[in-house]
Amino acid sequence: MTLNDLWFVAIAVLWTGYFVLEGFDFGVGILLPVLGRTGVERRVMINTIGPVWDGNEVWLITAGGATFAAFPEWYASLFSGFYLPLFVILVALIVRGVAFEYRAKRDSARWRAGWDRAIVFGSAVPALLWGVAFANIVRGVPLDARHEYAGSVLDLLNPYAILGGLVTFTLFTAHGAMFLALKTTGEIRRRAAGVALRVGAAAAVLAVVFLVWTQFLGGTAATAVLAALAALAFVAALGAVWRGREGWAFALSAVAVGVAAVTLFVVLYPDVLPSLPDPANSLTVVNASATPKTLGIMTWVAVIFLPLVVLYQSWTYWVFRRRIGVRDIPA
């Protein structure tokens, strides 16, 4: 394995970690007005992700930084062609972060309701657009001989990409519902389990169609096995929810999201951004990469600091592992 291949794998791992961890964050935000019927219940829901949501976004920052440093051509083509959707995602994430911090700054129901809507917006938009973006990356986009995007924003709204957006939206929503069923008590826990089953059933159907379509785009026997594993894990997660085994449900849901993300990267390799309709203009792990010296320095930095990041984030989850409910919220 060359350093180019190693960093492609590393970036795949970072994006997979981001989707698994930030995915349930997005789900909690999307479900805020659905499961939180009172102000106190909404505060319980926000408190379940309060200690971890910003740490989960570290995976996105690291993935973006690693892409910029390891594959600058890939980064440049993505941000030129996908500029508008990525800008909208960035705005949504900023609004969401501000909403978490500002929601409790004033004792006003109207004030909190406004920031709650901002949380829903900041969660739903990325949950949808990340699927659209990654579906286009796997499918391919128009690139010219200089590897510059030669299409328009409307080219990104093709049926496959829209289906990808619906898959991530429903999958993250169900993932978040399973997290809430695991982390809460009382009525919120009961409602979350019900939503997980209903939304999860829709997500399962959409995901199967999307993975089969992806297989026809360039899948192999290995990707077929991975897609089947993701589907089985998610169905098992729904079964665990039905039996009231929230811990197993969330773990299996995380496996399903992670394996589905890995499947997309396996289908993509050795390209990093396929070109349609001319494959000769595609960006690959070779022609999009940085110099071997740059990749070597990055490898040593990752070896030193990545374990530290994993350790402190694991410690955070361990410290805040207890369930919470309405009774834990002061007046």
Side-chain angles (χ1 to χ4, degrees), residues 3-320:
L3 286 177
N4 307 57
D5 299 324
L6 177 64
W7 274 98
F8 179 83
V9 172
I11 289 170
V13 169
L14 291 170
W15 278 109
T16 299
Y18 174 68
F19 287 142
V20 170
L21 297 175
E22 190 82 320
F24 71 75
D25 280 359
F26 290 149
V28 172
I30 292 168
L31 292 171
L32 195 62
V34 178
L35 299 180
R37 299 180 181 178
T38 66
V40 176
E41 289 182 343
R42 288 189 288 273
R43 185 173 169 188
V44 169
M45 294 174 63
I46 292 171
N47 283 5
T48 62
I49 59 174
V52 298
W53 71 267
D54 48 355
N56 293 343
E57 289 192 350
V58 170
W59 291 81
L60 171 62
I61 297 168
T62 309
T67 304
F68 172 76
F71 298 101
E73 285 276 355
W74 186 14
Y75 185 92
S77 296
L78 279 177
F79 274 82
S80 61
F82 294 54
Y83 180 82
L84 183 58
L86 291 178
F87 179 76
V88 173
I89 289 173
L90 178 61
V91 171
L93 292 176
I94 292 172
V95 168
R96 178 171 170 266
V98 172
F100 282 137
E101 298 297 333
Y102 274 67
R103 183 182 184 275
K105 297 298 183 183
R106 182 183 297 177
D107 187 13
S108 164
R110 184 177 179 182
W111 171 270
R112 287 191 293 272
W115 289 116
D116 286 347
R117 287 191 290 271
I119 291 173
V120 176
F121 167 81
S123 302
V125 169
L128 178 68
L129 291 185
W130 279 131
V132 173
F134 269 84
N136 276 295
I137 292 172
V138 173
R139 173 181 176 269
V141 295
L143 296 177
D144 61 22
R146 295 183 299 174
H147 305 304
E148 293 181 0
Y149 184 70
S152 67
V153 174
L154 293 179
D155 292 327
L156 302 177
L157 299 178
N158 54 80
Y160 178 72
I162 293 173
L163 176 59
L166 293 175
V167 169
T168 52
F169 182 87
T170 54
L171 194 59
F172 291 165
T173 303
H175 192 38
M178 293 180 196
F179 177 77
L180 285 170
L182 173 65
K183 287 288 294 179
T184 60
T185 62
E187 282 297 306
I188 302 177
R189 178 185 179 185
R190 183 186 61 79
R191 292 178 206 141
V195 168
L197 289 172
R198 292 192 295 273
V199 178
V205 174
L206 292 171
V208 167
V209 175
F210 179 76
L211 290 173
V212 170
W213 194 341
T214 302
Q215 187 70 15
F216 280 108
L217 289 180
T220 62
T223 57
V225 171
L226 288 171
L229 178 60
L232 289 173
F234 195 69
V235 170
L238 295 178
V241 172
W242 179 264
R243 296 191 303 272
R245 304 293 296 276
E246 291 97 346
W248 278 106
F250 179 71
L252 288 166
S253 176
V255 169
V257 173
V259 174
V262 169
T263 303
L264 296 182
F265 280 95
V266 174
V267 171
L268 187 60
Y269 181 84
D271 291 335
V272 293
L273 188 60
S275 174
L276 290 178
D278 188 359
N281 296 333
S282 297
L283 285 169
T284 69
V285 294
V286 176
N287 65 16
S289 71
T291 64
K293 184 175 181 179
T294 299
L295 296 178
I297 294 172
M298 289 175 60
T299 301
W300 282 110
V301 172
V303 167
I304 295 171
F305 289 102
L306 184 59
L308 296 177
V309 173
V310 173
L311 282 173
Y312 88 70
Q313 195 161 19
S314 300
W315 178 81
T316 302
Y317 277 94
W318 175 255
V319 170
F320 293 99

